[in-house]
Amino acid sequence: MLGNFSYHNPTKLYFGEDSLNYLKDELKKYGENVLLVYGGGSIKKNGLYDEITAILKECGKNVAEVPGVMPNPTSDKLNEGVEIARKNKSDFILAVGGGSVCDYSKAVSVSVHCNDDPWEKYFIRFEEPDCKILPVGCVLTMAGTGSEMNGGSVITNHKCKLKIGHVFGEEVMPRFSILNPRYTMTLPKYQMCAGIFDIMSHICEQYFSGEDDNTSDYISEGLMRGLIHSSRIAVKDPKNYEARSNIMWTATWALNTLVSKGKTEDWMVHMLGQAVGAYTDATHGMTLAAVSLPYYRHIMQYGLKKFARFAVEVWGVSPTGKTDEQIANEGLAAMESWMKEIELVMTISELGASDDMIEGIADATTILKGGYKVLSRDEVIKILKESM
Amino acid sequence: MLGNFSYHNPTKLYFGEDSLNYLKDELKKYGENVLLVYGGGSIKKNGLYDEITAILKECGKNVAEVPGVMPNPTSDKLNEGVEIARKNKSDFILAVGGGSVCDYSKAVSVSVHCNDDPWEKYFIRFEEPDCKILPVGCVLTMAGTGSEMNGGSVITNHKCKLKIGHVFGEEVMPRFSILNPRYTMTLPKYQMCAGIFDIMSHICEQYFSGEDDNTSDYISEGLMRGLIHSSRIAVKDPKNYEARSNIMWTATWALNTLVSKGKTEDWMVHMLGQAVGAYTDATHGMTLAAVSLPYYRHIMQYGLKKFARFAVEVWGVSPTGKTDEQIANEGLAAMESWMKEIELVMTISELGASDDMIEGIADATTILKGGYKVLSRDEVIKILKESM
């Protein structure tokens, strides 16, 4: 049931090969001190850095840079960015990169004018911002996280071995995001596939929860079917622009709150995956892939009707003459087949997890209550062992 | 293909039985002179008028009223509302009603500070507003048009026998809309079913166009499947809150630009239906129902693959051993069956159209170019005759 909720997603999206043309129109709306945030060297290799710095210069902006935002951005890096923003009196943050860079920029945006330690305030105490928030804009170079149109920010603290996400409100959502599928096409295939699974997982985290009947589930099924279709094309032909553009657009809509309306939401695959990530620093989407099937096979019986529906509506499993359990199992088998087809990592050992890490990963796994079964610590251990 | 586009939908939506509680928070953001716009007497009978006027009073607003906005709002009525807004120096327009009231309020919002004749400027010349635009908020009492989250406004000019829609930009979209499914449950079943078909038609107008492959189509298929499911419950049990809430939410997403991305869009069913409406003043959704099958059967051959996909994905038609034409025909037959199940009017004669009107209705039908076949006037006549 949809129940009571609000929906507000003020981010303006520019999509397509011409989308960067709109950056200057957007930049005009903000002050002259821009904090340019990016990751490793890829945007310097593919020319995007030069294009963007030229546009910033043309707009008369004073640019301070925060390069080197790593794939799982850390609290130390966050503090570094906050200091640079303060020193340069940044008016606006331009994030150029994937979900990590966008997430990171949102964390900086709520921390610059905040007196408390941001890791403690936002990622341990989960407080909301009570200070001035800097506006953020994104030029997205990788499809998957949905960070370009949501209030989410995930930060890793290596000392505590924690990787924590905070979903901020609409005032922290990017003011605009530029989505050019061509930018996603320079990334390695490994990242493309990890991003594809992140998208699927986002949808599943919302879909496999709560009580049906709900429009959100029908939209989710549509998104998943489109994603499976486009991913099959993309894994064979990563340069297929149509497939990559559909994947990019699906990523945005998978996690901008739309398909969560009326859902209690699960998020345990992400809790497990993030905990694995805190220990191994592995690629986010791959950590999710490695834990998903053991998790879903474990909880399937508690949400049997939904897993049977998933099998029929998303994977085309024929229900005729079968029990719900048979149908549901076939659905997960079809998903497993697809996951291998798109070359995902299927075990956490392959990502660097070792047996002696399991207890620690279990400790780092937050237990959430929105899914079909609230896990005990023993169940977490069992699932992690099955994920090895 | 998705191609190049922008997406910006800043309307804040409050959904559910508690949604009216947020009206006062929103009203605080606007000036003290409020133009309260509504339709016939229904909101006075069901208590909503009293609730809203109490809230407006509590917020210290000066209220000027524009009652009596008819189901197909006219240009004369538009001029009347503009005068009242000017006289009362309205700061904000609160629309309480269905799509007609919301559409109408948007037309007023772009006309109050405009020197030209609004019908000529916006609905004949299709110019964009170059004047101050009054902010609009909606409290929706009928699900169907999507007006609560888009820039559309449809006005009828009886003298010219024209019913014309203008899709304005994001600055004309309502600032907020309050969507309480309970409000939709006091309307007669006829209106409920007409609204349901309006939603289906909106999705079809976008879906049956352009070149596949496109995420928008997958989302559309999800929305259509959910709508068919909920409508079957609602027609038997209009008081089923879950079904009515899913229908209301689907209506919003069917026409807020999301599922039009990458589509050329058809809109001929609406052009034909609006022309019928200009002559008969019939309920919008019923005019669409009466012309849809003759139109789709006529253009089916020009978009055969899509009509076959529609049959399989939306209506569950089995494709095994059949030609595309057979599959497509079965899909339209399934849709016809459903239309009768939800008690739609299936002929324009039942809506008051007579043979001698056909030429005039054809004259009033704008020919658009986004569908699978650009119609000649002869084809329009043929379709209208088949709709009798």
Side-chain angles (χ1 to χ4, degrees), chain B residues 358-374:
Chain B
I358 294 212
E359 293 286 330
I361 294 172
D363 288 338
T365 301
T366 309
I367 300 297
L368 298 174
K369 303 190 173 166
Y372 293 133
K373 170 69 168 66
V374 181

Side-chain angles (χ1 to χ4, degrees), chain B residues 192-229:
Chain B
M192 175 187 82
C193 295
I196 287 167
F197 194 77
D198 198 13
I199 301 165
M200 175 64 83
S201 182
H202 289 157
I203 301 169
C204 288
E205 301 277 34
Q206 298 164 90
Y207 180 78
F208 287 120
S209 78
E211 294 299 316
D212 294 358
D213 182 13
N214 191 325
T215 303
S216 300
D217 289 333
Y218 286 95
I219 298 172
S220 287
E221 286 166 347
L223 290 172
M224 287 191 279
R225 288 159 66 223
L227 179 67
I228 291 161
H229 169 82

